[in-house]
Amino acid sequence: MSVIEIEDLTKRYGDLVAVEDLSFDVKEGEVFGFLGPNGAGKTTTIRTLLGMQAPTAGRLSVLGADTTVESERLDALARTGYLPAHPSFDGQATGREVLDLHESLKGGSRREDVLELFDPPLDRKVRAYSTGNVQKLGIVQAFMHDPDVVVMDEPTSGLDPLLQERFNEFLRDERERGVTVLFSSHVLSEVRRVCDRVAIIREGRLVAIEDVETLLDRSGKLVRATVAGGLPADAFDLPGVADLTHRDVDDATQVSFTFSGDVDALVDELDRYSLQELDVEEAPLEDVFLQFYGGEASA
């Protein structure tokens, strides 16, 4: 069963096409990542899905309700949590007053449970909050009414690494409870930890829908190595090597490249040299777009 459905969505602002012919669905109990560089159309899609603006064309639904129809949208959104990219609350209110207001509107059966995990300073006025505390307050309000589906835009922005990991673990637990989650991000490592599938958008158009493991296989790894001495002309001339660079440093050579080929071949190649340092990590998401999906990432 699909909890979120987007079919042939187009959103224009005058002559500017922000999203064009976008289609994907999110299944019940799925954590679904919505990926793309800044300016790709992620926030426009989310705001249109939730009825904050009308689509130019297309069909959208949440929990089976057409979100372009007010009476249907209100029923669906009562069972939906939402965390915008930049949460904004009344600066004169305390965090407790903000949550009291949200609870009066939509309920708060899980308020204390979520507060125990994220713990924003409830008795401080929001105007004195750090960016991280505003984000924590936003997370609590998004989940406090025990929604069936949650939509989030860059949910870990402003959180320190420890809280990011706590949030990722919380999302995994929510998935086990059957909650459906759609969230946009440009952080590949975050998506890897929590998502089942991802949709990738560039310049307002869908370029791929993939499970996470397929995405990781396509994105490859960023390899940095320091080897003693110089390198022959055919060094690292392997299938799957891209963006190879090297520079001389004292009596050694530093190389870096993105690798999506056979790991055994890479190990054999590295074994040709006297290796001093080696670092392997996930390729940046920007490289995924540039190398595998064509064109240049939007700013």
Side-chain angles (χ1 to χ4, degrees), residues 3-38:
V3 173
I4 294 173
E5 294 181 290
I6 297 175
E7 184 178 338
D8 300 327
L9 172 62
T10 295
K11 179 61 182 177
R12 298 189 183 95
Y13 301 97
D15 294 332
L16 174 64
V17 180
V19 177
E20 187 169 13
D21 295 329
L22 179 66
S23 297
F24 66 86
D25 69 297
V26 182
K27 296 177 173 58
E28 184 176 7
E30 183 175 35
V31 178
F32 191 91
F34 191 35
L35 299 182
N38 293 331

Side-chain angles (χ1 to χ4, degrees), residues 21-246:
D21 295 329
L22 179 66
S23 297
F24 66 86
D25 69 297
V26 182
K27 296 177 173 58
E28 184 176 7
E30 183 175 35
V31 178
F32 191 91
F34 191 35
L35 299 182
N38 293 331
K42 302 188 302 294
T43 297
T44 295
T45 300
I46 287 174
R47 289 177 59 84
T48 309
L49 172 68
L50 297 179
M52 299 177 190
Q53 56 191 10
T56 304
R59 189 181 69 84
L60 308 101
S61 70
V62 175
L63 294 166
D66 185 339
T67 56
T68 65
V69 178
E70 183 175 4
S71 58
E72 293 190 38
R73 178 173 69 246
L74 293 178
D75 289 341
L77 294 187
R79 299 161 56 195
T80 301
Y82 173 54
L83 179 65
H86 304 287
S88 179
F89 304 105
D90 181 359
Q92 298 300 317
T94 65
R96 189 180 308 279
E97 289 169 338
V98 168
L99 294 185
D100 287 346
L101 174 61
H102 280 268
E103 183 169 351
S104 71
L105 295 172
K106 60 187 182 184
S109 61
R110 296 192 64 206
R111 172 172 169 169
E112 295 307 317
D113 291 340
V114 186
L115 275 172
E116 187 173 336
L117 287 172
F118 298 102
D119 194 28
L122 292 184
D123 295 316
R124 187 184 306 169
K125 289 188 181 295
V126 172
R127 68 185 180 189
Y129 272 25
S130 65
T131 300
N133 280 330
V134 171
Q135 197 73 8
K136 289 191 289 183
L137 188 65
I139 292 170
V140 175
Q141 68 78 29
F143 285 91
M144 63 185 287
H145 60 299
D146 199 16
D148 296 316
V149 56
V150 181
V151 179
M152 298 178 288
D153 199 349
E154 302 289 351
T156 61
S157 176
L159 299 182
D160 63 42
L162 180 62
L163 277 171
Q164 288 180 18
E165 183 51 41
R166 185 178 302 171
F167 177 77
N168 291 338
E169 183 177 348
F170 173 68
L171 274 194
R172 290 190 287 266
D173 290 342
E174 290 301 286
R175 176 174 55 195
E176 292 300 312
R177 296 180 66 247
V179 177
T180 303
V181 178
L182 167 68
F183 76 88
S184 79
S185 179
H186 63 274
V187 182
L188 186 58
S189 59
E190 176 177 81
V191 168
R192 176 181 189 174
R193 292 186 182 99
V194 298
C195 288
D196 302 298
R197 289 189 303 147
V198 295
I200 299 173
I201 185 174
R202 180 173 58 83
E203 296 178 352
R205 284 184 167 273
L206 184 72
V207 293
I209 296 179
E210 298 178 339
D211 62 73
V212 170
E213 289 306 316
T214 299
L215 174 67
L216 292 172
D217 288 344
R218 295 191 67 175
S219 63
K221 300 292 184 181
L222 181 62
V223 179
R224 299 186 184 93
T226 302
V227 300
L231 289 173
D234 66 345
F236 299 100
D237 184 14
L238 300 172
V241 169
D243 303 321
L244 175 66
T245 63
H246 57 83

